[in-house]
Each structure stands twice: as structure tokens, then as C-alpha cells.
Amino acid sequence: MLGLTALSMALVKLLPRLTTAVPSSLLTVVLITVLTKVFHLPAQTLSDIAGAETFRGGLSVLPHFGLAQVPWGSWQTWRVLLPYSATMAAVGLIESLLTLQLVDGLMDDGKRGDTRKECIGQGLGNIASGLTGGMGGCAMIGQTQVNIQAGARGRLAGISMALLLGLGIVAAAPALGQVPVAALVGIMFVVCESTFAWSSLRLMRKIPRSDAATVVIVSLVTVWQDLADGVVVGTIVSALCFCWKQSTNLWVETSEGYSGFIKTYKLHGLLFFGSTQSFADLFRIQEDPQEVVLDFAASRVLDHSALEAINNVAAKYGELGKTLHLVHLSSDCAGLLERLNSGTMPPYEIIEVDEATDPIYEVAEESRYYRDLKAPDAPKRKDGQADVSLDEEDEDFDDTEDPEAWEDDLR
């Protein structure tokens, strides 16, 4: 087995140097099969694994239209089918899209595959397959790699493969059953070797540890369970790592004005559910003066937890008879804060509006809070020109404007 596999790998690599008229993988299968038959080598064949009945061939193997004979009206049937169907659909879509990405990279002809058409086509094909007693399927990375290495450049290659495979199952199934498994294993090893991005191993020490850990975890889960579980676990781990990074990147720049009468906190970073505790720890409420300015020019308020955190900090200042002024909030944030405070801001929490410099963005919030709330307006520039877009605002995200002008008005 090991010897035939090694020989198969060597043939796939060496045969293209002799001829490219016939795909090297096809020649390898033929040569290994003939070699095992001529020299009577002990090799496990496809018939040995799947059974001779699978490779009996003939028209009897063609599919027949009809639904499976199961109790469709029973909840128990759907309880069994739905988890498997969801897993198969997820794995099929992921592998098909990964294959499409691989093809785009290998072809490098300036064109990109249509992911929408790929997903719809796969879904329709699997529905037709299920209605004719077949199994669900998806794009195959290994087979696609073999096709491209053989010179495939268009849709005709996939159509030809499907037609020839169907013809082989009907007319030449007994012969296909005699193909040694070692020949196919060797071909797949070569496909894996050529598909794997070996350069990624050199990056493991250069990328953040969290990203490296995510790669390792996803790989292990995919091998241990399946691709769908690997993607789900990877998404969760990546989200947790992102939350951790952003929660530790929240910081403030403080300054005092008018002999300590006003203290300004300029917030930097993202304020969301993962950073609310860090946000609360940034303030020195007991030591701060009567008037405190919280500047959001270099920050973004992302969700409901962030809005609640702002209200909580303002309430703590209010308990001590102090006032918190909120500067450079988007109109969306301002409207939601007013909504959370029953439509009227408390006297200790004041939103200072400046249409010329306030940013434009929305907050991820429940629909009940957004009901009847006007969408944020684009602030006008001081020269009265066109509105500022979100992209233009992002270019000035690290705004260093000193709120002294606002402090003059407060004085």
C-alpha cells in the first residue's frame, strides 16, 4: 500500500515532463492498475471497500425520480433530517466557495467566479439529486485541482468530467472497481501538497498569537469533527479575540482648562459591550471638577451596552452634583441616548451638538429603540459645501481638535 502510494505520487510529478497530451493523474491510475494486475500485487481496490454490488454497472444504476419512503408528516423525521441537512449545506457551501477562491487564484486571468451563481447552482443540483435518490454534493477541491493541472480552463471541463463519470459508472463500472485505492491516495496527497499554502507556516511567528491559535484550533476541529464545526468554532474564537483586543485598546487623553474648572476626557477606541468595564474604569469621578467634558471625536459608540455605560458614568457624576458634557457624538447616538432617558436628558448629562464637526455613524440597537427615530444627518461643512460622507469622516477619525472653542461657550 505505502509503496504503491509513493509510486503514484512520483508518477503524478514526473509524467508531465514526458507528455502533457494525457493528464498525469489519469495515466497514473491506469499504470498503477495495470501494474497490480500484471504482477499480482496485494492492493485493496474500490470494489473491496464499496462492494461488488456498487460497481455492477448497467442501466439499473441510473437514478429514479421519487421521494424517499419515510414518514414526512412525523416530527421525529424532521428532527433527524434538519441537523444533518444544515451541516451538509454549510459544509457544501464553504467548500464550494473555497474551491472557487482556489480556482480564481490558480487561473489568475483577471476574472472572478460568481459566488451567488455557484451557491444557487449547487442548491438546485442537490435538490434534483435528492429527488432522484442521489446524494448531496459540492465542488471538490481535489478534483478541481486535478482538472486545472490537466489544462482545464472553462465550464466544459466540469461538464465533460460529469458526463464521463456517469458513462463510466453505467458502462465500465466493473473496470473502475478494480482501481487500487493506493493510486487515488497518492494523487490526493499530491493535490494536498500543491494546494496547501506552505508559506503560511513561516508567518506563524509573525502574526498575533491569537490569530495563530485560531488557525491551529480550526485545523484541529476540522480534522476531528468536520469543516462546518471548524468554521463555527473559528468564528467564535475570532470574535472573542476581537472583543478582547478592542476592550484593551480603549484609553483616554485628559486635559484641564480654566485653572481646573473643566476637565476633558478624549476617548480613543471602540466603545461596545466588551469594553464597557474598561470605559467605566477610565474616570476619576471623585477627584474630577464640577464640569467634565467627554469627547468622542476619536471613538465610536457601537451598541446598546455602550449607551448604557455612558448613562451610568453620567449618573455617577450626577450623584455628586457634577455635570458631564458629551461632545462629538453622532446624531444617532444623541437620539438614542435621549430615547433611553425617556425623551429628556437629565440635567447632569448634556449633549453638545456641533453639526460642523459631529461624526456620522449609526449604533447597533434594538428596533424598538429605533422606532420613529430620525436617521443621522450628514453635518454641513463650515464653508457650506456638500455633506461629509462616512468615508471622509473616517479619514479624520483621529481628530485632534481641541474643544477650547466649546469651553469658551461654556464659560
Side-chain angles (χ1 to χ4, degrees):
M1 178 72 174
L2 293 178
L4 290 176
T5 301
L7 178 60
S8 175
M9 295 174 63
L11 289 174
V12 173
K13 288 288 188 179
L14 296 176
L15 286 176
R17 300 181 181 181
L18 300 177
T19 179
T20 57
V22 181
S24 60
S25 56
L26 179 59
L27 280 177
T28 298
V29 171
V30 173
L31 291 175
I32 296 296
T33 303
V34 172
L35 185 65
T36 55
K37 292 301 180 183
V38 172
F39 295 96
H40 304 285
L41 299 178
Q44 193 175 37
T45 65
L46 294 178
S47 294
D48 297 333
I49 295 178
E53 182 65 18
T54 305
F55 291 93
R56 70 182 185 275
L59 297 178
S60 61
V61 301
L62 293 176
H64 302 280
F65 181 82
L67 294 175
Q69 299 300 316
V70 295
W72 294 105
S74 171
W75 165 244
Q76 185 64 27
T77 300
W78 293 101
R79 186 178 180 182
V80 173
L81 291 179
L82 289 178
Y84 286 104
S85 59
T87 301
M88 292 180 64
V91 172
L93 288 174
I94 293 169
E95 185 165 359
S96 294
L97 296 178
L98 287 175
T99 303
L100 187 61
Q101 184 180 25
L102 172 68
V103 172
D104 290 338
L106 292 176
M107 299 294 290
D108 196 20
D109 55 359
K111 300 179 181 179
R112 289 292 178 266
D114 192 326
T115 56
R116 182 172 177 270
K117 290 182 179 179
E118 182 71 24
C119 294
I120 293 176
Q122 178 179 303
L124 294 176
N126 282 334
I127 291 174
S129 177
L131 292 175
T132 53
M135 296 176 60
C138 64
M140 300 177 64
I141 293 179
Q143 185 171 297
T144 303
Q145 177 84 351
V146 171
N147 270 357
I148 293 177
Q149 289 178 347
R153 292 295 181 269
R155 296 184 179 90
L156 185 60
I159 297 174
S160 301
M161 181 278 301
L163 294 176
L164 291 174
L165 181 60
L167 181 62
I169 292 176
V170 174
L176 293 177
Q178 300 305 310
V179 173
V181 176
L184 304 179
V185 172
I187 294 174
M188 291 310 301
F189 273 143
V190 174
V191 170
C192 293
E193 182 273 332
S194 59
T195 305
F196 187 80
W198 296 99
S199 59
S200 62
L201 296 178
R202 296 194 298 269
L203 299 176
M204 294 299 285
R205 294 184 178 181
K206 299 179 181 179
I207 63 178
R209 293 182 178 179
S210 58
D211 293 345
T214 302
V215 171
V216 173
I217 292 173
V218 171
S219 301
L220 293 176
V221 173
T222 301
V223 174
W224 177 45
Q225 294 292 330
D226 55 53
L227 184 60
D229 291 339
V231 171
V232 172
V233 172
T235 302
I236 295 173
V237 172
S238 297
L240 293 176
C241 291
F242 173 81
C243 292
W244 172 256
K245 290 179 182 178
Q246 296 302 326
S247 66
T248 56
N249 287 337
L250 194 69
W251 59 283
V252 292
E253 180 183 352
T254 60
S255 61
E256 295 186 0
Y258 301 103
S259 302
F261 176 69
I262 298 175
K263 183 175 181 179
T264 300
Y265 288 88
K266 188 168 185 179
L267 189 65
H268 295 261
L270 301 179
L271 182 56
F272 66 111
F273 69 92
S275 60
T276 53
Q277 185 59 51
S278 300
F279 172 75
D281 296 338
L282 295 174
F283 300 91
R284 298 293 178 263
I285 299 177
Q286 297 289 341
E287 296 82 4
D288 286 344
Q290 292 297 114
E291 304 292 334
V292 179
V293 179
L294 179 54
D295 189 354
F296 290 92
S299 179
R300 288 291 184 268
V301 179
L302 299 185
D303 57 15
H304 178 79
S305 297
L307 299 173
E308 291 287 358
I310 296 172
N311 273 343
N312 292 337
V313 170
K316 292 180 180 179
Y317 278 109
E319 292 175 357
L320 299 178
K322 302 177 182 181
T323 303
L324 180 65
H325 301 265
L326 306 177
V327 183
H328 291 140
L329 277 176
S330 73
S331 61
D332 195 52
C333 293
L336 286 172
L337 281 173
E338 291 179 355
R339 184 67 56 87
L340 291 176
N341 287 283
S342 301
T344 304
M345 297 298 293
Y348 53 79
E349 186 177 2
I350 301 176
I351 300 176
E352 305 293 343
V353 179
D354 186 351
E355 293 184 355
T357 60
D358 285 346
I360 311 168
Y361 60 88
E362 296 185 354
V363 180
E365 181 58 280
E366 298 180 24
S367 59
R368 61 191 178 97
Y369 291 110
Y370 265 114
R371 190 178 299 120
D372 302 327
L373 184 66
K374 183 181 178 182
D377 296 323
K380 297 181 179 179
R381 297 193 179 108
K382 293 181 180 180
D383 56 5
Q385 294 179 359
D387 295 341
V388 181
S389 67
L390 181 59
D391 294 336
E392 293 171 336
E393 184 66 30
D394 284 342
E395 294 177 0
D396 300 328
F397 186 73
D398 293 326
D399 188 7
T400 57
E401 178 184 359
D402 190 357
E404 288 185 358
W406 179 85
E407 291 178 352
D408 291 337
D409 296 337
L410 180 61
R411 189 180 183 186

